[in-house]
Amino acid sequence: GAVVSQHPSRVICKSGTSVKIECRSLDFQATTMFWYRQFPKKSLMLMATSNEGSKATYEQGVEKDKFLINHASLTLSTLTVTSAHPEDSSFYICSATRQLLATEAFFGQGTRLTVV
Amino acid sequence: AQTVTQSQPEMSVQEAETVTLSCTYDTSESDYYLFWYKQPPSRQMILVIRQEAYKQQNATENRFSVNFQKAAKSFSLKISDSQLGDAAMYFCASLIQGAQKLVFGQGTRLTINP
């Protein structure tokens, strides 16, 4: 199968600091990676789409300077939450597809971010 | 615009019984895919079943089957012989052919009563 691994699974950071979340495709090359945010008991909200080697495409309302996304290789994408604040506390999930415009996405296990 | 609606925030069923989760969607496209994902307490998203819009036959995966009504834009999930491990949030999602983004519904929390 296709495995996507997120790291860390949980992170606590102090308000004002930055935190980086990694998303790796372990056994396939991920042409496209997606980052979602999920509030408690809510659905997944797409934050951005990242194609390898290109700048990420952010959804409306998502601050690109706050949520920095890098997809520098075919197996790794990172989400950096800059100058984190308590309202950034959430569950962040990544997914990846094997090829452009693929119809099957593989999800990471998610990262619980708590900003104190 | 592409939208997916799940009108049942919560559902419950007795173990071994059958339950149906509802989903409606709206799209002007003719080529698209529909999915049901399961999110158990571990929060890992798991693909349960997928349906290609061009296929008339309803998809089935063991105890999971869908009722795909294209004209009505309805895509319900039936879980037969419910098991305790089926307890989870279930999300309906759609993907337009040629697009990259999955669009998710609001989710239905399924509880299995022993």
Side-chain angles (χ1 to χ4, degrees), chain A residues 38 43 51 101 103 107 112, chain B residues 39 43-44 50 98 100 105:
Chain A
Q38 187 178 28
S43 188
N51 293 310
L101 306 181
T103 58
F107 286 82
R112 161 73 62 199
Chain B
Q39 189 180 40
R43 308 293 293 272
Q44 173 74 56
R50 62 179 274 163
Q100 290 187 303

Side-chain angles (χ1 to χ4, degrees), chain A residues 33-36 46-50 56-59 62 69:
Chain A
M33 287 186 169
F34 305 85
W35 287 95
Y36 297 87
L46 181 64
M47 299 174 66
T49 301
S50 171
T57 301
Y58 290 80
E59 294 299 301
V62 177
I69 291 172

